[in-house]
Amino acid sequence: MGDGDTQALRDAIGDWATGGPEEPARELAVRMGVRTAVLLEGPSDLAAVDALAGRRGRDLPSEGVCVVPMGGAMNIGRYAALLGPPGLGLRLAGLCDEREQPFYERGLRRAGAPDHGFFVCLRDLEDELIRALGTAEVEEIVGAEGDFRAWRTFLRQPAQHGRSRQEQLRRFLGTKKGRKIRYGRLLTEALDPGQVPAPLDDLLTSL
């Protein structure tokens, strides 16, 4: 299956989740042989999962896995109902942040889906990646990407004074549209095999 098929399925699922028809998503899922849906909060998580899968030689669509960004953690209940036992009957997996874990548990329980396929990041995946690489290496990547001037300007903001470098970097990644997505991929690609954060590693291993 090509990237176009995968994106078409994601689009059909997103349309269904916002009140559109069920049939296009169901037909595509059947035609593509999808057995598992990986539910992620947004596109930056998707970029990281895709990057790690590529590094490990995994072709998730050909394995019957569709990775779906939900457009926010609060959508877990709706997506679990559509794609899990009440809907397409797919196995569900994914990542969630620790503060949102109870919300995920309730949403999955209402959908009759087990939660053992979901792996918990302490704060969020960006934070896990920064901690895994170390702040010095992340700053090197920021510089190599041509964002050093923007980073130094960001550090001069009064709101950043007194924050740890870890927290400053985490906030910096979210200050410009598309930056979290780009760095989700870049930071994942920079990881040594033994540096992969446990939630991300466990998710890929479980699929």
Side-chain angles (χ1 to χ4, degrees), residues 86-196:
L88 299 188
L90 304 176
R91 176 199 170 210
L92 302 181
L95 295 171
C96 72
D97 303 343
E98 187 175 53
R99 67 182 179 277
E100 292 155 353
Q101 187 176 5
F103 190 81
Y104 270 65
E105 290 173 348
R106 289 193 298 272
L108 292 166
R109 187 166 56 247
R110 285 196 299 270
D115 63 7
H116 58 253
F118 286 78
F119 301 92
V120 181
C121 301
L122 287 179
R123 300 192 67 182
D124 53 29
L125 185 53
E126 287 78 23
D127 186 67
E128 295 277 355
L129 291 169
I130 294 166
R131 281 193 288 111
L133 285 167
T135 58
E137 185 165 354
V138 175
E139 287 190 81
E140 287 183 10
I141 294 169
V142 167
E145 284 298 300
D147 285 332
F148 186 75
R149 180 175 294 179
W151 167 236
R152 300 310 299 179
T153 299
F154 174 81
L155 290 178
R156 288 196 291 271
Q157 296 176 1
Q160 303 311 315
H161 298 170
R163 285 183 172 148
S164 69
R165 192 58 115 220
Q166 168 88 13
E167 181 62 17
Q168 289 168 339
L169 283 163
R170 177 174 171 269
R171 289 177 179 269
F172 175 73
L173 296 186
T175 57
K176 182 180 178 182
K177 183 176 176 62
R179 184 176 282 157
K180 283 178 68 172
I181 301 171
R182 180 160 57 99
Y183 280 95
R185 175 181 58 81
L186 289 167
L187 298 187
T188 302
E189 289 175 344
L191 294 165
D192 290 334
Q195 289 181 309
V196 179

Side-chain angles (χ1 to χ4, degrees), residues 6-47:
T6 300
Q7 189 57 53
L9 178 55
R10 288 175 184 147
D11 291 343
I13 291 169
D15 187 46
W16 183 17
T18 54
E22 170 186 350
E23 289 75 16
R26 183 177 291 277
E27 289 173 4
L28 277 167
V30 171
R31 179 164 64 83
M32 294 172 65
V34 177
R35 297 184 301 275
T36 300
V38 177
L39 302 180
L40 301 175
E41 180 176 348
S44 62
D45 296 336
L46 170 63

